[in-house]
């Protein structure tokens, strides 16, 4: 969950140091490898706006949608018929992480935040991947494909629609 929160907020906080945008749209592949070298790979689509809205639409290995609207996160899990509503209180300020990114080579930036190094890789003037190890020592790699910026995205894309028969878990405390 924390990995997912980091990823979503990471893109919301992008600044002119790395990528100046009004909107972003991308396919993604997120690979998480634990200490025993077991790997899980997620794929899907990602959309974000500079108005602090984002949605990750996971397609494999499970279907789910994760919405970020300002400081709130809503995770819709169809297979479990549930929605989880939470805030970002426990997450770092990702805008600060991005603003503090330092160029360490031609196409690589580094941000150090709370004992974690976030490596941001640039290709053709846009982010191509992000690599870091989380607090549980999982290695996380997010690859972006078909990234488009400043395209028209309808705000309706970011409208959360929780089906009436879903269980709602509210973690806002």
């Amino acid at each position: 969950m924390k990995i997912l929160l980091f990823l979503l907020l990471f893109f919301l906080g992008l600044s002119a140091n790395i990528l100046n945008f009004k909107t972003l749209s991308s396919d993604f592949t997120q690979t998480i490898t634990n200490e025993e070298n077991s790997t899980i790979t997620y794929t899907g689509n990602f959309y974000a706006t500079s108005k602090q809205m984002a949605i990750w639409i996971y397609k494999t290995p499970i279907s789910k949608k994760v919405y970020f609207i300002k400081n709130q996160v809503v995770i819709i899990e169809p297979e479990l018929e549930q929605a989880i509503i939470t805030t970002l209180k426990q997450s770092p300020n990702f805008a600060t992480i991005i603003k503090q990114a330092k160029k360490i080579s031609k196409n690589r930036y580094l941000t150090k935040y709370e004992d974690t190094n976030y490596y941001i890789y640039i290709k053709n003037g846009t982010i191509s991947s992000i690599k870091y190890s989380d607090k549980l020592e999982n290695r996380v790699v997010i690859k972006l494909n078909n990234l488009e910026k400043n395209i028209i995205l309808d705000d309706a894309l970011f409208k959360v629609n929780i089906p009436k028969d879903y269980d709602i878990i509210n973690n806002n405390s």
Side-chain angles (χ1 to χ4, degrees):
M1 177 73 166
K2 288 183 181 182
I3 293 169
L4 179 61
L5 292 175
F6 169 76
L7 297 176
L8 293 170
L9 290 177
F10 192 82
F11 286 101
L12 289 175
L14 293 174
S15 71
N17 289 344
I18 296 170
L19 180 63
N20 188 10
F21 71 95
K22 292 181 183 177
T23 64
L24 289 177
S25 170
S26 181
D27 300 329
F28 73 87
T29 302
Q30 175 186 353
T31 304
I32 302 168
T33 306
N34 67 17
E35 291 178 324
E36 291 82 34
N37 285 323
S38 295
T39 299
I40 185 163
T41 300
Y42 299 94
T43 63
N45 308 99
F46 170 76
Y47 304 91
T49 74
S50 59
K51 297 186 271 184
Q52 294 185 325
M53 296 187 299
I55 181 172
W56 290 73
I57 302 171
Y58 285 79
K59 295 182 178 178
T60 64
I62 60 169
S63 172
K64 71 177 171 179
K65 293 181 180 178
V66 182
Y67 296 85
F68 281 76
I69 289 73
K70 300 201 180 194
N71 292 326
Q72 187 175 52
V73 178
V74 178
I75 303 167
I76 307 287
E77 300 199 56
E79 292 181 22
L80 300 175
E81 294 185 354
Q82 74 178 15
I84 301 169
I85 301 170
T86 189
T87 62
L88 301 176
K89 285 189 253 181
Q90 302 301 323
S91 298
N93 179 338
F94 294 101
T96 300
I97 288 173
I98 299 302
K99 288 178 184 175
Q100 293 176 357
K102 304 287 186 213
K103 192 171 190 173
I104 57 174
S105 68
K106 181 179 177 184
N107 294 312
R108 193 166 89 160
Y109 290 75
L110 169 65
T111 298
K112 293 182 181 183
Y113 185 86
E114 291 191 10
D115 300 323
T116 301
N117 291 329
Y118 300 94
Y119 293 94
I120 304 158
Y121 296 85
I122 306 299
K123 185 176 182 180
N124 299 326
T126 61
I127 294 176
S128 63
S129 65
I130 301 156
K131 297 179 182 179
Y132 66 97
S133 292
D134 66 16
K135 303 261 188 228
L136 300 174
E137 299 301 320
N138 294 311
R139 294 180 309 277
V140 180
V141 177
I142 306 156
K143 292 183 180 179
L144 302 178
N145 298 302
N146 305 316
L147 186 117
E148 296 179 277
K149 68 178 189 174
N150 301 329
I151 61 171
I152 296 172
L153 293 178
D154 190 340
D155 283 350
L157 176 66
F158 304 98
K159 186 176 185 322
V160 178
N161 183 15
I162 301 172
K164 292 179 185 177
D165 59 336
Y166 275 30
D167 293 327
I168 298 174
I169 300 167
N170 195 332
N171 290 334
N172 283 324
S173 52

